Amino acid sequence: MLKIREILLALPETTYGVDPGLSAATDAILVDNLAWALEGAKMYERKPVRASMAPLKPIFGGTLLGTTFDTEIKGSGSAGVAPEIGPLFRGCRFGETIVGGTSVAYSPVSGTDASLSLYYFQDGTLWKRTGCRGNPAFNLETSQSGKISWGFTGHSKMRGTAQAGAATTITLPTTYSTINETYTGQTLKINSGTGAGQSRAITAYVGATRVATVAAWTVVPDATSVFEIDNGPYDFALPTPTYDSAVPVPLIAVPFSVDSYAAVIAKLAFDMGGALAMPADISSPDGVGQIQLTARKLTGSFDPEAVLIATQDFIGKWKGGNAMALDTGVIGALAGNRWRVQMPGITYTNVGKGDRDGISTYEMSFMAAETTTDNEVTVTFT
């Protein structure tokens, strides 16, 4: 398998942990540095007292799936149309505000948040993640495109209770996908109720009826049958994705300011600091309940050139605990591919000495707080 032949799709879920059915034509996201890892994988070691000193076979106790990747910061190409990275913001507890024909803005929320299904294609195989939530970290450097590093954690299995069964079918819950063939190729296992212990590959799926076709059951399932569907990996042909046509703009001629001062910087970085909770759940097929973002703490840094105190007193403002506005200004010139980052209330948390080609700089660390509810940062595409 070739590393370069990898594709990522993402879409918010209607029901937590249930794959709604994703399409390479509408849900593809252009990424780099795409990687996966097992999160919280459990192998239970048995250590009974025995005559033999040899260990017994360990038992697999479930796992979550982690996915990391980077994206460029760019618009959709049409003002007021969400960029392809929009679903990723929503999976990190950002709200989405669309003004038709004008703008799309993302700001963090503390209330109801979305979960995502992710499809990870790896040159002939597909590995899904459901119920995903995560955290973004932003990196803006001179002459490069803005980048966001994303980290998501999701479930390796879906679960549900059947509506009905027949000799070679099982009817999935009404919350499952309305799109044909969404679960074709995945393995369904009945964990409890009628037909418990049986495992079958899904060979066809009709979205309108939620009916999955399988090889003949030994015991036909019914409305008491509690099942799991394994998210893979399984063999699947690499699709042809469609991406936004907009090309990211380089970070030059950026009107950056902090405390209304046009600081000369080379880089700006910040991380939302989202805390993921992965509570144990004995009824879950992977041993973990709903993944939740339970807290956030936006921290960051930038590197302004050192100037006279009379020009800008960086150290004095750090000592004074001043709350200040940070604004990148509008980046880009074409409608549909302009973006801007605004933080109305940052406070310096540390200061250090730096050097940029023989020019003295400060290394300013900061934390962003809200000035009204949930407004510590806003990313706006226009």
Side-chain angles (χ1 to χ4, degrees):
M1 293 183 179
L2 298 179
K3 169 66 177 174
I4 197 170
R5 287 172 53 82
E6 296 183 338
I7 296 170
L8 185 79
L9 313 183
L11 186 68
E13 297 171 342
T14 302
T15 301
Y16 179 83
V18 176
D19 170 17
L22 279 63
S23 167
T26 57
D27 305 315
I29 298 177
L30 190 64
V31 303
D32 56 22
N33 297 320
L34 182 58
W36 64 268
L38 302 178
E39 297 282 350
K42 307 174 196 68
M43 292 299 295
Y44 170 62
E45 292 189 15
R46 304 162 64 200
K47 298 179 181 179
V49 177
R50 304 167 59 234
S52 172
M53 295 176 64
L56 295 175
K57 179 180 75 69
I59 300 171
F60 175 64
T63 188
L64 296 175
L65 299 174
T67 309
T68 58
F69 52 90
D70 299 334
T71 64
E72 300 165 326
I73 306 177
K74 62 188 182 76
S76 65
S78 300
V81 175
E84 65 187 27
I85 62 174
L88 305 178
F89 279 107
R90 295 184 60 194
C92 296
R93 264 195 189 274
F94 277 74
E96 181 181 70
T97 302
I98 297 178
V99 179
T102 302
S103 65
V104 184
Y106 296 93
S107 294
V109 296
S110 296
T112 302
D113 58 332
S115 59
L116 304 181
S117 282
L118 299 178
Y119 285 13
Y120 185 125
F121 293 92
Q122 190 174 19
D123 198 8
T125 64
L126 170 56
W127 200 338
K128 298 181 179 181
R129 295 98 163 89
T130 50
C132 295
R133 289 191 169 117
N135 185 73
F138 295 70
N139 187 42
L140 283 58
E141 294 192 33
T142 303
S143 298
Q144 301 183 29
S145 63
K147 289 288 189 75
I148 306 177
S149 295
W150 307 86
F152 286 93
T153 300
H155 293 280
S156 60
K157 296 181 179 183
M158 293 181 289
R159 58 176 165 173
T161 301
Q163 295 188 70
T168 59
T169 64
I170 183 170
T171 304
L172 306 185
T174 57
T175 54
Y176 271 58
S177 178
T178 60
I179 299 174
N180 291 344
E181 312 306 341
T182 295
Y183 312 118
T184 299
Q186 293 177 251
T187 298
L188 182 147
K189 178 182 178 181
I190 300 176
N191 288 330
S192 63
T194 302
Q198 298 178 100
S199 180
R200 300 287 189 274
I202 297 173
T203 57
Y205 177 73
V206 179
T209 59
R210 286 23 175 233
V211 171
T213 300
V214 298
W217 298 107
T218 302
V219 177
V220 174
D222 59 24
T224 70
S225 303
V226 178
F227 65 86
E228 65 179 55
I229 295 178
D230 196 314
N231 284 336
Y234 55 99
D235 290 341
F236 198 99
L238 199 67
T240 301
T242 300
Y243 300 112
D244 283 346
S245 60
V247 176
V249 297
L251 294 169
I252 52 178
V254 173
F256 175 86
S257 67
V258 61
D259 196 28
S260 299
Y261 169 68
V264 178
I265 69 169
K267 59 185 177 182
L268 166 68
F270 62 95
D271 190 315
M272 288 303 299
L276 277 182
M278 293 166 272
D281 181 351
I282 201 169
S283 67
S284 170
D286 56 23
V288 178
Q290 184 172 153
I291 299 166
Q292 300 185 53
L293 276 160
T294 57
R296 66 176 185 264
K297 180 182 177 181
L298 191 163
T299 58
S301 64
F302 62 94
D303 60 343
E305 285 189 10
V307 294
L308 295 176
I309 292 171
T311 302
Q312 180 69 192
D313 189 1
F314 287 103
I315 295 177
K317 293 177 186 298
W318 166 59
K319 290 179 178 178
N322 295 36
M324 300 160 288
L326 182 152
D327 190 349
T328 64
V330 176
I331 299 169
L334 297 178
N337 196 25
R338 300 178 298 221
W339 57 278
R340 181 180 191 176
V341 176
Q342 294 169 287
M343 302 180 198
I346 73 162
T347 301
Y348 298 143
T349 56
N350 203 351
V351 58
K353 177 175 170 52
D355 172 89
R356 186 160 63 242
D357 294 332
I359 297 173
S360 292
T361 62
Y362 292 125
E363 298 293 335
M364 306 302 302
S365 299
F366 66 84
M367 186 181 80
E370 63 181 14
T371 57
T372 60
T373 303
D374 292 331
N375 76 331
E376 65 262 43
V377 64
T378 300
V379 182
T380 306
F381 295 85
T382 56

